[in-house]
Amino acid sequence: MPDHIDGSDRPDGPARPGKGRRRATRLRRPPRAVRRDLSQLLCAVAGLGLGLPAPLITGGPRVDAGRVVSVLFTLGFGVISLVSIIYSVLFLVVQFSASTFTPRLGLFRDEPVVWRTFAFTIGLFVFCITSGLAIGSRESVSTLVPSAAVLLTLVALALMRTLQMKAFDSIQLGHSLTAITVRARRLYDTLYPNPYDPTGAVPPPPVADAGADVRWTGPPAVLQNVDVPALLGAARARDSAVALRVAPGTTLSEGTVVARVTGDGVPASVLLGALTTGVERTFDQDPELPFRLLADIALRALSPAVNDPATAVEALDHLEALLVRLAGRDLDVGRFHDSTGRARVSVPVPGWDRYVRTAVDDVLFAAAGSPMALRRTRDLLRTLAERAPGDRRAVVLDRLRWVERTGGEAYPLVWTDGAG
């Protein structure tokens, strides 16, 4: 979520962005599952639209229609095996990542190339079968028809190769850690564009301190996205204010207080309709998720069953890079204003202390059994203590003192100061 969004009289989008305020167009994108279904439908319709007029093509040399029909049916049903391979690779890679890294890591499954390849093969199948049936019992047909089918098949094979390379990357530790970090950096650059200003660190009063509570009434679900422009428009239309009590990434259970509404009140149906839920957390608006994933990978590596401290060290390298990136950013981005400058919507967002705890605390105790991982954790905390602003160092120094004490007591032979 960007730091500020200008609302408008329209309930479906922001107005002109003012200084320091940006549009939140990424918040209005269709859900990922909807985009996947639409891509498959569009490719199927395109295949149908190209296949039906195939007999009408008259350009170029002509060949026997019976042979062309055989080729088209062979290619059409051949791509079914390609779709089967796509699903097999998807299943195996997702299973490998879940068992080796963390069950919450779905990077390969969410790769656009996976679903684009599937959608393209569906379109190719529809084109081949439709054009084959449309040709029917004609005596001859233009060579452009089989040529187009062969060309599209080559494109499908190229997509399949790209898919395989993505699958190979997804089962390698370095590529998975880098993919998490890249997505996190992209998200943080969107959410936290402004540098940290210690003089403005005092949080403003809540948007809606008193009012009516709106509770979750559905089955348990994970809050994935908040359509802030829709909430802004609804709040301004009713001269209300909405203070969400849950952040993206929170699991909602029946009776959970989702928001508090003041003024004339935004209807519960409108408020809940602005929330996108699912069965798992996503990167879209959940800035804490990258830290959770990297910490999970480190914890699994440090478990007695795996005992791979080198993997934990690599995960700590990426945790340090993300924490250093956030150390100098303004993290108070949860208040959203309409075009008049009045605060209408607030969303709880993680603060600096929360990020440090999520990234470090669980790993600290697990790393106590490994001098390699504990030393790397010490280096991480020392770097943060040097790079973080003064009023953000307390939470880091507390953990650094614990690490120094634990390491000195547990590993006096190898625990050197290392400051120089």
Side-chain angles (χ1 to χ4, degrees):
M1 290 162 293
D3 50 351
H4 297 285
I5 301 176
D6 287 337
S8 71
D9 294 331
R10 299 173 301 161
D12 60 343
R16 303 181 305 274
K19 183 179 180 180
R21 299 174 182 173
R22 298 178 300 155
R23 294 183 181 269
T25 53
R26 69 189 303 273
L27 300 183
R28 299 197 303 272
R29 295 175 62 189
R32 186 176 290 108
V34 175
R35 298 198 300 273
R36 293 172 185 165
D37 294 341
L38 285 177
S39 66
Q40 296 166 25
L41 177 61
L42 290 176
C43 286
V45 172
L48 184 65
L50 293 175
L52 287 176
L56 305 178
I57 299 176
T58 58
R62 302 183 70 83
V63 295
D64 180 67
R67 298 178 60 184
V68 172
V69 170
S70 299
V71 170
L72 291 174
F73 282 173
T74 300
L75 292 176
F77 287 104
V79 298
I80 298 300
S81 61
L82 185 61
V83 174
S84 301
I85 294 174
I86 293 173
Y87 271 108
S88 299
V89 171
L90 177 63
F91 175 77
L92 292 175
V93 172
V94 170
Q95 184 183 40
F96 178 87
S97 298
S99 59
T100 305
F101 302 137
T102 169
R104 282 159 290 280
L105 186 62
L107 296 178
F108 177 72
R109 180 200 59 202
D110 295 333
E111 280 286 349
V113 67
V114 176
W115 305 104
R116 290 171 183 170
T117 302
F118 178 75
F120 186 85
T121 54
I122 291 296
L124 175 58
F125 170 78
V126 173
F127 168 75
C128 290
I129 301 304
T130 301
S131 57
L133 294 175
I135 291 172
S137 59
R138 292 174 179 268
E139 294 182 357
S140 64
V141 67
S142 172
T143 55
L144 295 178
V145 176
S147 299
V150 172
L151 179 61
L152 292 175
T153 302
L154 293 176
V155 174
L157 292 176
L159 289 173
M160 187 61 202
R161 182 184 181 280
T162 303
L163 181 65
Q164 289 176 330
M165 298 306 297
K166 287 287 185 180
F168 292 149
D169 290 344
S170 297
I171 62 177
Q172 299 180 35
L173 175 66
H175 285 285
S176 296
L177 294 176
T178 300
I180 295 172
T181 305
V182 168
R183 291 196 182 192
R185 287 167 61 96
R186 189 183 305 125
L187 175 62
Y188 297 153
D189 288 345
T190 302
L191 294 181
Y192 310 122
N194 299 322
Y196 177 65
D197 182 9
T199 61
V202 179
V207 170
D209 192 25
D213 290 336
V214 176
R215 298 179 181 272
W216 181 253
T217 57
V222 177
L223 178 59
Q224 295 176 337
N225 292 279
V226 178
D227 191 346
V228 175
L231 287 179
L232 274 173
R236 180 174 180 180
R238 295 167 177 82
D239 194 23
S240 302
V242 177
L244 291 178
R245 299 307 192 201
V246 291
T250 303
T251 299
L252 307 176
S253 57
E254 188 173 0
T256 300
V257 176
V258 175
R260 177 164 292 179
V261 182
T262 62
D264 293 339
V266 177
S269 59
V270 174
L271 193 151
L272 296 178
L275 309 180
T276 300
T277 59
V279 298
E280 61 184 356
R281 301 169 69 171
T282 66
F283 280 87
D284 294 337
Q285 294 182 14
D286 188 354
E288 204 174 352
L289 178 60
F291 289 103
R292 182 71 272 158
L293 292 175
L294 293 172
D296 283 352
I297 293 173
L299 289 171
R300 185 176 291 256
L302 292 172
S303 66
V306 178
N307 192 23
D308 183 12
T311 293
V313 167
E314 289 190 51
L316 286 167
D317 291 340
H318 290 265
L319 284 170
E320 178 183 308
L322 293 183
L323 286 172
V324 168
R325 192 173 190 83
L326 293 182
R329 301 289 183 93
D330 179 13
L331 306 179
D332 184 20
V333 297
R335 292 171 61 85
F336 303 91
H337 303 75
D338 61 16
S339 56
T340 65
R342 179 175 175 182
R344 294 285 187 182
V345 177
S346 67
V347 181
V349 292
W352 172 249
D353 289 5
R354 177 71 175 268
Y355 280 128
V356 173
R357 293 190 179 99
T358 301
V360 175
D361 282 6
D362 293 334
V363 180
L364 278 183
F365 296 105
S370 167
M372 179 192 299
L374 199 60
R375 283 199 302 268
R376 183 62 188 89
T377 307
R378 177 189 63 183
D379 295 341
L380 181 156
L381 293 170
R382 283 180 173 177
T383 301
L384 281 184
E386 295 173 357
R387 303 285 294 275
D391 57 349
R392 289 183 172 178
R393 291 176 183 168
V395 65
V396 177
L397 294 175
D398 288 344
R399 283 145 183 81
L400 179 58
R401 284 189 287 267
W402 186 91
V403 169
E404 294 283 12
R405 182 173 63 254
T406 301
E409 294 174 354
Y411 311 107
L413 184 63
V414 299
W415 194 260
T416 57
D417 177 71

